[in-house]
Amino acid sequence: MSKDIHFINLGLKDYKEVWDFQETLFAQTLKDKREQKNTTNHLIFCEHPHVFTLGKSGSDKNLLVTEQWLKMAGATFYKINRGGDITYHGPGQIVGYPILDLEQFGMGI
């Protein structure tokens, strides 16, 4: 087991592109664990164009802007499979996404 972390700088990327990339890395980690292979840890850094996300424990009512406003502002909106409520990300904000095998660090969920 390795505690090495592969750092990935994606620059300015669409939220959905980065989300899909994370899902791919996560699926590979699960596959490697099932096959009892070494897993790779990743820490992704990026910025997103204007985007609002709604976690599975959130409510559509908490997005206080209209679809028309989103379009006018050049912003996107995604319902995602993570916890939480409304989150905003935008240019100039560096976001980090860890895809880690917590067992390698003696941790669990």
Side-chain angles (χ1 to χ4, degrees), residues 97-109:
Y97 298 108
I99 308 293
L100 306 173
D101 181 351
L102 295 179
E103 289 178 356
Q104 291 181 5
F105 298 90
M107 301 169 70
I109 295 175

Side-chain angles (χ1 to χ4, degrees), residues 26-109:
F26 181 66
Q28 183 63 51
T29 298
L30 290 179
K31 181 179 182 286
D32 290 345
K33 286 183 80 66
R34 279 193 297 273
E35 296 173 1
Q36 298 183 342
K37 295 180 181 176
N38 288 331
T39 56
T40 303
N41 296 297
H42 305 277
L43 184 52
I44 302 165
F45 290 103
C46 65
E47 297 177 57
H48 298 298
H50 302 289
V51 61
F52 293 86
T53 62
L54 177 65
K56 57 187 174 183
S57 60
S59 170
D60 286 341
K61 293 184 293 186
N62 295 331
L63 181 63
L64 303 179
V65 297
T66 64
E67 283 188 42
Q68 181 181 1
W69 185 93
L70 288 171
K71 188 178 272 190
M72 189 178 68
T76 54
F77 174 69
Y78 295 103
K79 291 184 179 180
I80 59 172
N81 60 355
R82 294 189 178 89
D85 203 343
I86 295 286
T87 302
Y88 166 80
H89 298 295
Q93 176 193 33
I94 297 179
V95 183
Y97 298 108
I99 308 293
L100 306 173
D101 181 351
L102 295 179
E103 289 178 356
Q104 291 181 5
F105 298 90
M107 301 169 70
I109 295 175

Side-chain angles (χ1 to χ4, degrees), residues 8-23:
I8 304 167
N9 181 357
L10 296 178
L12 182 65
K13 285 277 187 204
D14 177 70
Y15 184 87
K16 179 79 166 79
E17 252 185 275
V18 178
W19 183 12
D20 290 344
F21 182 54
Q22 290 175 74
E23 293 288 338

